[in-house]
Structure formats: C-alpha cells, structure tokens
Amino acid sequence: MKQHNYQGTTTVQVPLPTAFDSIRRRVPEWWAKHFEGSSQSKGDRFTVRFGTTFVTFEITEMLPNQQIVWKVVDNYLPFIDNKTEWQGTEVVWEFKEQDGAVQIHMTHVGLTPESECFEVCNKGWNGHIQGSLHNLLMENKGNPQ
C-alpha cells in the first residue's frame, strides 16, 4: 500500500515574495506564539512550542520564491505513544504563481495515514495553513497558538 504524505494548500492574492517571506520570517504570526531561533535562511534552526509539545526544525533548502524545506531534528508530542514520531520527517513548502494569485502547497513528508499522529496533526496543519496562514496573508492577522 502506497503511503500518502499529508498535504495542504492555500491560495492567496498577494505577491509571490510576500507569501514566501511569510513562511520564512513570520512563523510566530501564523503558527506558534512560542518561537525560538531563526527560520530565515538555509542552515537556520528554530523551535515551536505548544505547552509541553515542541518541534525543532533545521532549514535544509531555501530556493527564493520557489521552495523551503524544514527537517525535523527533534520533537516531543506528548499526546501520542511515539512521542518523537516526527523526527526525521520534512515539511516542504512550494510556491506557484497562477492567475494573479499565489498557491502555497505544503507536504509533510513522513506524516502518513499510518502515523499515530496523522488524524490530530492533519486537522492541526489544515487549521494553520488554510486558516491562520491564509488569514495572515489576506488580512494581516493570523491566529497562532
């Protein structure tokens, strides 16, 4: 059986550099209020925290206005048995201009339906991408947790 990685997409009416920069520089404004480190350049590391839950990423790819890859180097998910399930997974952001809008597509490589966290994490990512990130870009007001 083929594994399907989590995927989420939002389309926004903003310039491509604005969309790209919001993933790079504005993580605390759309995802996690508790943010440490830097998410701006290849090689940077940052941690997001939600209570006792945390995820630390390293940026392994940064292709301006095209793609950003965050690799999970450490994590703790207290609400599942395999508390480090995300370790070694990658979050891949891809950006495409079409018809005067920008499509932001995110794939969490390694977060599959077979993952213990899939149901909860699927709902969480959908809310962050299609809700908070979308609202940040369209209304300049995200809803970070």
Side-chain angles (χ1 to χ4, degrees), residues 50-65:
F50 311 92
T52 58
T53 298
F54 76 87
V55 185
T56 301
F57 295 93
E58 180 177 340
I59 300 174
T60 58
E61 290 292 328
M62 180 79 63
L63 303 171
N65 300 326

Side-chain angles (χ1 to χ4, degrees), residues 17-140:
T18 300
F20 185 83
D21 227 35
S22 292
I23 301 298
R24 250 181 70 181
R25 296 178 187 264
R26 300 180 74 184
V27 175
E29 294 177 61
W30 65 265
W31 190 19
K33 292 177 192 172
H34 301 285
F35 174 92
E36 303 157 9
S38 177
S39 58
Q40 297 184 33
S41 304
K42 184 176 178 179
D44 283 357
R45 285 185 176 218
F46 67 96
T47 300
V48 292
R49 295 183 185 279
F50 311 92
T52 58
T53 298
F54 76 87
V55 185
T56 301
F57 295 93
E58 180 177 340
I59 300 174
T60 58
E61 290 292 328
M62 180 79 63
L63 303 171
N65 300 326
Q66 296 175 46
Q67 185 182 64
I68 301 171
V69 179
W70 299 343
K71 183 172 184 171
V72 178
V73 295
D74 195 12
N75 77 289
Y76 181 74
L77 307 174
F79 52 90
I80 59 175
D81 290 336
N82 182 1
K83 298 182 184 339
T84 59
E85 182 175 73
W86 279 23
Q87 199 154 332
T89 65
E90 291 183 322
V91 174
V92 180
W93 298 95
E94 297 172 297
F95 304 82
K96 291 184 183 161
E97 280 185 297
Q98 59 185 61
D99 304 323
V102 175
Q103 182 183 70
I104 302 170
H105 183 77
M106 188 273 256
T107 304
H108 189 155
V109 179
L111 180 60
T112 66
E114 294 77 24
S115 301
E116 187 180 357
C117 178
F118 189 78
E119 189 174 319
V120 171
C121 294
N122 184 58
K123 287 178 186 174
W125 274 132
N126 286 343
H128 293 303
I129 295 167
Q130 296 160 359
S132 186
L133 177 61
H134 182 88
N135 292 343
L136 176 68
L137 288 164
M138 296 300 294
E139 301 165 16
N140 204 31

